[in-house]
Amino acid sequence: MSQSSIPDFFVYGEPVRPLDVGFLHVETVLARSNIHRGEVAAHKHPQMGQITYWTGGSGTYRIEDRSWDFSAPAVSFVPSNVVHGFSIGPGTDAIVVSVADDALAAIAGQSVLPLDRPVFADGLPHHAAWKRLVAVLEMIAAEYAEAQAGNDKMLPALIAVALSHIARLGPDGTASTTSSEASLALGLRRLVDMHFRDNWPVDRYVETLATTPHLLDKAARAMLGTGVKRVVSERRLLEAKRLLLFTVRTVEDIAYEIGFDDPAYFSRVFRERIGEAPAAWRRKQLRGH
């Protein structure tokens, strides 16, 4: 824990750059082994989500402040701006499919997986969904590599199918939503990611998304499980936990970073929500990492 901020990447090890509309990228974890050498530090991708399907080997996968010790097969979906990383043993490999946020929004209505939150699934290797998932991901990798005519239409459809199989393998088994609610919730999450430090009122989010308070609240509750105000407060709390866990910044500095004018008030809010003070939570978490 020596960094002062959580790095943003295009793909791991490469600086963020503007993405083309509908951007897709497919590669293996082993393809970047000369960069990460089995240890991918906590990072995030500000403009795209990622599917990571572990085809062989074992390791530890981390999403925010949670971690899983896994053996293949295992799979995750991580939306944009979600902190993640992993440690893997020699020879461990995965297929990684990176999808721009605009492309995810376009296929949200064809996938039963909620695209606003991360998911990790492993175990039950004989579940039929694993065979179907790997078959779809191999088709995605082949279509991407061969770049044949029409793959711009095939790839989004295949990715929607892959995401739906991940939903069946995940802890909830399945999930569904309407495309309009999915798109609105994804838009809200992107705006909250950009402006949670600015203390925007709910009306500002409603106006920016060109919707109504009722529709925005309905989408937030259906997709994110809570109302708009709570979405914003949870995002601020998430950023506080990220900075406490993955950086060396002081509690006071973190409070100002996430939009609190009074560090003492931030500490009280954190204690009420998490059950212990920020510094104590940080010490406990670091003992476990």
Side-chain angles (χ1 to χ4, degrees), residues 20-140:
D20 294 334
V21 174
F23 172 84
L24 299 170
H25 180 79
V26 184
E27 67 176 9
T28 64
V29 164
L30 279 179
R32 290 185 180 268
S33 60
N34 63 320
I35 298 173
H36 57 70
R37 301 185 185 278
E39 294 286 340
V40 169
H43 67 285
K44 50 192 172 71
H45 306 283
Q47 305 171 73
M48 62 189 186
Q50 283 188 328
I51 298 169
T52 303
Y53 178 80
W54 297 96
T55 56
S58 60
T60 300
Y61 198 86
R62 296 177 290 275
I63 301 176
E64 301 293 356
D65 58 342
R66 295 191 61 190
S67 64
W68 295 263
D69 293 326
F70 72 88
S71 295
V75 68
S76 65
F77 171 72
V78 178
S80 60
N81 284 308
V82 170
V83 176
H84 59 286
F86 56 80
S87 305
I88 54 174
T92 300
D93 201 8
I95 299 171
V96 182
V97 181
S98 302
V99 189
D101 280 345
D102 68 275
L104 285 172
I107 67 175
Q110 285 71 56
S111 168
V112 300
L113 181 73
L115 303 182
D116 61 288
R117 67 198 76 169
V119 62
F120 182 89
D122 64 351
L124 299 175
H126 301 298
H127 194 302
W130 286 116
K131 293 181 180 179
R132 295 169 184 161
L133 177 60
V134 72
V136 173
L137 287 171
E138 287 175 349
M139 289 175 66
I140 290 170

Side-chain angles (χ1 to χ4, degrees), residues 129-186:
W130 286 116
K131 293 181 180 179
R132 295 169 184 161
L133 177 60
V134 72
V136 173
L137 287 171
E138 287 175 349
M139 289 175 66
I140 290 170
E143 283 291 328
Y144 181 83
E146 294 167 9
Q148 296 187 37
N151 74 348
D152 58 326
K153 292 181 170 53
M154 289 186 64
L155 282 169
L158 289 170
I159 289 167
V161 173
L163 291 166
S164 295
H165 284 311
I166 293 171
R168 292 175 176 174
L169 290 163
D172 297 328
T174 186
S176 63
T177 185
T178 67
S179 59
S180 60
E181 283 185 344
S183 296
L184 193 53
L186 286 169

